[in-house]
Amino acid sequence: MLKHNLDWNKCVDVFTPNCTSSHCVLHWHALVARKIPSDLQNVLIEAVKMINYIKSHPLQS
């Protein structure tokens, strides 16, 4: 946040490698996608596809 001079007041969610939830990101991606460059938008769309795939295929125990 400090290195790139990002405003904490605009932070919606923070993820770490041990993340257990992605609910907020899926709802906010539509708002973010309207204002970012197309190459980053493509990355965001692919990330959402991966998250949706993982969430729709639970592990068999």
Side-chain angles (χ1 to χ4, degrees), residues 38-48 50:
S38 62
D39 56 339
L40 293 178
Q41 184 177 20
N42 292 335
V43 172
L44 181 62
I45 290 169
E46 290 301 314
V48 171
M50 288 185 259

Side-chain angles (χ1 to χ4, degrees), residues 6-56:
L6 300 174
D7 184 0
W8 277 106
N9 293 323
K10 296 180 181 176
C11 181
V12 175
D13 207 347
V14 175
F15 283 86
T16 66
N18 297 325
C19 170
T20 60
S21 173
S22 61
H23 180 78
C24 293
V25 170
L26 295 177
H27 290 285
W28 282 92
H29 86 274
L31 295 174
V32 171
R34 294 180 191 168
K35 298 181 179 183
I36 62 174
S38 62
D39 56 339
L40 293 178
Q41 184 177 20
N42 292 335
V43 172
L44 181 62
I45 290 169
E46 290 301 314
V48 171
K49 285 181 187 177
M50 288 185 259
I51 291 169
N52 287 337
Y53 177 82
I54 292 168
K55 291 180 95 173
S56 68

